[in-house]
């Protein structure tokens, strides 16, 4: 009993300190206007942060895990309290729908995701969901009823940490997937896509039914942390996304020959990890040869058999390649393939290649960018436009319907890390802009 | 019931095919002499091989695991049947003692280990134990009683795959360890040294009592696969080890800054895996600058957080450095440290270094090498001498008592791999040499 009690005390203290930390330099007089509450936003971010809290004070809520589920259930409670009609589709996407003056009109959607990368931060995803819900809270307080239906949405497994394949929820809603590819997926514990769905109370037939008629959606708008330093350098709380870089992910398997590290002379070795090491290092020099926006990263890798005194027989690694421009991205891919061929040759290792995802860059419509600019100016913020290097659910939806994105300044540009942080002032100011933008969209017929 | 029955049928078939494979080109007429039986040796290797059999047809019997335990218990049964007095010390080392004409004399010990690296082979370790036991079987058949006590021995956890720290059993028997260092060890699942011992029915006080009076041991002789290609190139079944390379193991932690792979520009990244990749690749070029026998390997590595779309914030890797000569080994270590300093500088990552083991190279006494040469000649094999690049329990004992080692030819020099293989002819011929050698040692007062 004492133990449970002590744990509860620690939990409450951590939550209080998170809220306290956010509230410290918060300008209530300036920002707590028009029904929006900084304290409510901070408390909600804190409550989500403690689901899957890691030892390094990060968040770990992998897609379709019990932690992602717990976060969804918590947001559902808030949705209910805010008077939204809550539903969940067969991909685990959660919708909280606000009744409109004319419910026959296509809906405006806003939200993001509540899953995280392993040991990730407390803002990526969570902020976009809390932001959309805060707009509803403000409307409730202002007794404002929108002309068109509005839905707060949580998309499942955006990060792709479960299956090395992201945007599962938004792809499910848009019907943008090959079912035969999905059912071949396995997570790190060998669980199949179907087994993972089942562990979250979902099914394959249900997943197929998640596909929604996209004519019923007018627009999707997502608030997200920038995950870069442009806004910090420009000293701005938020900015307008003008395009989203499309990622290509490759799974590469380097096949060498295992052997004893003490008795196998250096000459004649076929060490998969040495070949992989050279690849990873040389890869980091390629993006700057094609553009300033191109990036290429190896963040995940498995070594086999992974023993101190064993030469690696097999290394599997994952390459993430992105650019906002399709031409320079293709140029980079060509360079990566050439590098692989030269390494195969130099180290006599065979490299198997498999493309996991390939998503086209998305352009944001200029009329939408104009309305966003007006919303920023209306709130006294100089509007700047910046590309998104990271992918988002808006990228998936953006291939079929109009999308908009607002970026919030990230401290030091850090994300996907326990150090990820945006100030509460910046978060709240962005939510004010989001609210103005949606209200403007609601006016248009 | 059917399922269990089917599994049993598969098990027996696998065992039969392993034995069949070994017996295929076996020259019974030449080698099954003097009480030694190739079929018994093959059957015993097959029975050990199926304990911890992996999908790739390798063996996985990590130190102090239930698989290593099962292998020890199986050998104990064989020891009993061979008329040996079986005992086990607090480090889990197993001894099968054969009564001598004069039991007050120091004993001759022979054996090896039954643990393996992850997904290792069926000869490394197991052959040395089966070989020592076969000498006893032959003596039993020949009604030969040795003048001095003889002990077949199994040392625990030689490979070090459990704690990244090998030779736990032989170190325990020789008292060559720092207890405060041992109790700090944790395995990959976070189990402490004490918890791991307990899982195998052992205790810390018992481990301390494993230290034996080394005056009671005259000599230790170990048969082991070569794990290299010298004997294959010389077309010889076995050879005499003239020295054992001492390993130094470092644990290196590269500390970078995690971030989003899509939104963090290449310029200004502090990617721990890129720095580690360059280190691994450049390390592979250093040994040949100091000697032909020096080796340096990274075989084990952990990436944190290990997500496709996350720049690595931390990479921990293990370096294994060896040479038979202490001077060139130290020379190599200096070069490795210089490389680390230059990488720290180039990538602005901080690298933490920790020495895990540092064992001196061992020279085999020339009188012992002479007796081994005679034993080889007596069996009609041209005696050649070769160094051991790999460490062995004989290396630990060799710092305090005389040791001898016989190497058996390895096909393609492969070891620590499911592909590890020595022909039965080579194994049996080496056991004949071992028997002659021990009988010669028994004659000396």
């Amino acid at each position: 009993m004492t133990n449970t009690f002590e744990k509860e005390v620690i939990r409450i203290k951590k939550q209080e300190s998170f809220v306290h930390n956010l509230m410290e330099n918060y300008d209530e007089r300036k920002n707590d206007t028009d029904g929006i509450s900084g304290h409510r936003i901070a408390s909600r971010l804190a409550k989500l942060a403690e689901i899957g809290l890691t030892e390094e004070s990060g968040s770990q809520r992998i897609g379709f895990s019990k932690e992602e589920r717990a976060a969804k259930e918590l947001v559902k409670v808030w949705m209910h309290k805010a008077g939204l009609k809550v539903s969940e589709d067969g991909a685990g996407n959660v919708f909280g729908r606000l009744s409109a003056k004319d419910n026959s009109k296509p809906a405006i959607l806003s939200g993001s995701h509540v899953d995280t990368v392993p040991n990730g931060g407390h803002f990526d995803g969570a902020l976009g969901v809390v932001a959309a819900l805060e707009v509803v809270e403000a409307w409730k307080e202002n007794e404002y009823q929108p002309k068109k239906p509005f839905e707060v949405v949580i998309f499942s497994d955006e990060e792709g940490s479960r299956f090395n394949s992201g945007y599962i929820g938004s792809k499910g809603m848009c019907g943008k997937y090959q079912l035969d590819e999905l059912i071949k997926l396995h997570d790190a514990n060998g669980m199949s896509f179907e087994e993972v769905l089942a562990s979250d109370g979902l099914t394959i037939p249900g997943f197929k039914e998640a596909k929604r008629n996209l004519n019923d959606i007018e627009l999707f708008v997502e608030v997200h942390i920038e995950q870069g330093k442009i806004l910090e350098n420009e000293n701005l709380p938020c900015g307008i996304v003008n395009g989203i870089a499309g990622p290509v992910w490759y799974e590469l398997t380097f096949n060498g020959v295992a052997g004893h590290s003490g008795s196998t002379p250096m000459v004649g070795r076929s060490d998969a990890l040495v070949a992989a090491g050279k690849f990873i290092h040389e890869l980091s020099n390629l993006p700057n040869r094609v553009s300033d926006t191109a990036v290429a990263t190896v963040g995940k890798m498995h070594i086999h058999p992974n023993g101190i005194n064993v030469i690696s027989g097999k290394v599997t690694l994952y390459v993430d390649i992105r650019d906002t421009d399709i031409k320079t991205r293709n140029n980079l891919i060509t360079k990566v393939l050439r590098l692989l061929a030269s390494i195969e040759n130099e180290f006599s290792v065979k490299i198997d290649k498999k493309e996991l995802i390939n998503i086209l860059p998305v352009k944001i419509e200029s009329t939408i960018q104009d309305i966003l600019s007006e919303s920023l100016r209306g709130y006294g913020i100089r509007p700047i436009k910046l590309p998104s290097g990271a992918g988002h659910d808006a990228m998936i939806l953006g291939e079929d319907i109009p999308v908009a994105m607002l970026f919030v300044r990230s401290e030091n540009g850090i994300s996907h890390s326990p150090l990820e942080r945006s100030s509460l002032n910046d978060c709240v100011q962005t939510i004010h802009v989001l609210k103005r933008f949606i209200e403007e969209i609601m006016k248009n017929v």
Side-chain angles (χ1 to χ4, degrees), chain A:
Chain A
M1 285 293 282
T2 320
N3 210 340
T4 312
F5 175 73
E6 278 171 4
K7 273 188 189 159
E8 183 62 13
V9 169
I10 290 166
R11 194 187 64 76
I12 291 170
K13 277 191 182 160
K14 274 192 177 162
Q15 193 179 304
E16 276 175 358
S17 96
F18 186 91
V19 174
H20 179 78
N21 188 287
L22 276 178
M23 292 296 291
E24 207 162 30
N25 297 306
Y26 181 60
D27 188 343
E28 281 182 76
R29 200 179 301 182
K30 183 181 168 203
N31 295 322
D32 274 8
T33 58
D34 206 17
I36 288 173
S37 157
H39 190 267
R40 179 167 50 218
I41 293 161
S43 304
R44 287 182 168 174
L45 289 171
K47 276 173 190 148
L48 286 170
E50 75 183 43
I51 302 172
L53 195 70
T54 67
E55 275 181 30
E56 295 93 335
S57 292
S59 270
Q60 184 151 325
R61 297 188 298 269
I62 307 302
F64 300 107
S65 64
K66 60 181 198 305
E67 289 81 15
E68 191 203 33
R69 170 53 53 192
K72 285 176 179 172
E73 295 304 320
L74 179 61
V75 177
K76 279 184 185 175
V77 171
W78 297 336
M79 286 174 164
H80 273 295
K81 280 192 190 157
L84 301 180
K85 195 183 149 213
V86 179
S87 65
E88 185 174 324
D89 69 17
N93 299 316
V94 174
F95 304 91
R97 187 173 168 104
L98 182 66
S99 196
K101 286 181 184 156
D102 182 352
N103 279 311
S104 70
K105 286 225 154 54
I108 312 297
L109 266 61
S110 183
S112 192
H113 59 96
V114 293
D115 69 306
T116 70
V117 296
N119 199 31
H122 306 308
F123 295 83
D124 184 343
L127 178 61
V129 173
V130 169
L133 192 54
E134 188 64 21
V135 171
V136 176
E137 301 283 0
W139 285 345
K140 207 173 116 190
E141 207 162 306
N142 302 338
E143 294 177 7
Y144 166 95
Q145 191 185 23
K147 260 165 73 178
K148 309 169 192 170
F150 178 69
E151 297 182 21
V152 178
V153 55
I154 307 172
F155 289 114
S156 299
D157 190 19
E158 190 263 358
E159 298 287 4
S161 301
R162 188 64 183 252
F163 297 110
N164 300 329
S165 175
Y167 321 107
I168 300 280
S170 48
K171 283 179 174 173
M173 189 188 85
C174 297
K176 297 177 87 70
Y177 57 86
Q178 302 287 334
L179 190 64
D180 53 339
E181 291 295 321
L182 279 187
I183 59 179
K184 273 190 247 160
L185 295 174
H186 284 79
D187 73 2
N189 295 318
M191 277 173 84
S192 70
F193 183 69
E194 186 168 11
E195 287 165 342
V196 167
L197 284 189
S199 73
D200 196 28
L202 305 167
T203 63
I204 297 280
F207 187 87
K208 286 197 277 187
E209 282 169 22
K211 183 169 168 12
R212 210 168 145 166
N213 184 349
L214 297 178
N215 293 327
D216 293 342
I217 305 174
E218 180 184 333
L219 175 136
F220 172 66
V221 52
E222 183 168 6
V223 164
H224 204 283
I225 56 165
E226 181 197 345
Q227 309 174 273
K229 294 187 195 178
I230 297 173
L231 293 169
E232 192 171 68
N233 292 338
E234 297 280 343
N235 195 25
L236 288 169
C238 57
I240 298 160
V241 175
N242 56 6
I244 310 172
V248 179
W249 286 3
Y250 290 110
E251 180 185 272
L252 302 178
T253 303
F254 290 64
N255 299 284
V257 179
H260 190 290
S261 63
S263 58
T264 313
M266 297 308 293
V267 176
R269 284 188 181 194
S270 176
D271 186 328
L273 188 53
V274 169
K278 182 165 186 182
F279 171 73
I280 292 166
H281 172 235
E282 301 232 326
L283 175 75
S284 71
N285 294 321
L286 297 182
N288 286 336
R289 292 191 201 154
V290 304
S291 78
D292 290 342
T293 45
V295 286
T297 311
V298 176
K300 179 166 180 166
M301 174 148 129
H302 298 292
I303 294 107
H304 190 80
N306 212 24
I308 294 193
N309 55 353
V310 196
I311 296 164
S312 304
K314 193 165 90 175
V315 169
T316 302
L317 57 83
Y318 300 84
V319 191
D320 177 328
I321 297 170
R322 310 190 190 208
D323 206 347
T324 45
D325 183 87
I326 185 71
K327 263 199 225 153
T328 49
R329 197 186 76 172
N330 286 342
N331 196 346
L332 177 54
I333 290 171
T334 306
K335 286 193 192 311
V336 172
L337 295 177
R338 259 193 229 131
L339 171 61
L340 284 171
S342 89
I343 282 176
E344 225 170 5
N345 200 36
E346 179 181 352
F347 293 95
S348 58
V349 295
K350 206 185 138 280
I351 305 173
D352 302 322
K353 303 166 205 76
K354 189 175 154 192
E355 187 181 280
L356 298 182
I357 62 172
N358 188 338
I359 300 170
L360 293 179
V362 165
K363 291 264 165 226
I364 308 288
E365 287 177 16
S366 60
T367 50
I368 289 175
Q369 290 189 43
D370 292 345
I371 302 174
L372 283 166
S373 292
E374 276 315 301
S375 306
L376 277 156
R377 274 197 212 99
Y379 198 69
I381 300 168
R382 173 168 61 92
I384 71 155
K385 293 172 183 179
L386 69 168
S388 172
H392 300 285
D393 290 309
M395 174 178 70
I396 303 301
L397 278 69
E399 289 187 44
D400 296 311
I401 60 165
V403 294
M405 281 196 83
L406 281 167
F407 268 175
V408 183
R409 169 164 50 187
S410 298
E411 283 182 12
N412 300 310
I414 295 170
S415 76
H416 283 191
S417 153
L419 299 176
E420 174 184 297
R421 196 178 184 282
S422 291
S423 83
L424 188 58
N425 286 317
D426 291 355
C427 294
V428 174
Q429 287 176 35
T430 310
I431 295 171
H432 276 286
V433 173
L434 172 71
K435 181 169 162 289
R436 275 170 185 261
F437 170 73
I438 297 171
E439 288 171 0
E440 197 54 39
I441 295 286
M442 290 291 177
K443 288 181 196 159
N444 302 335
V445 187

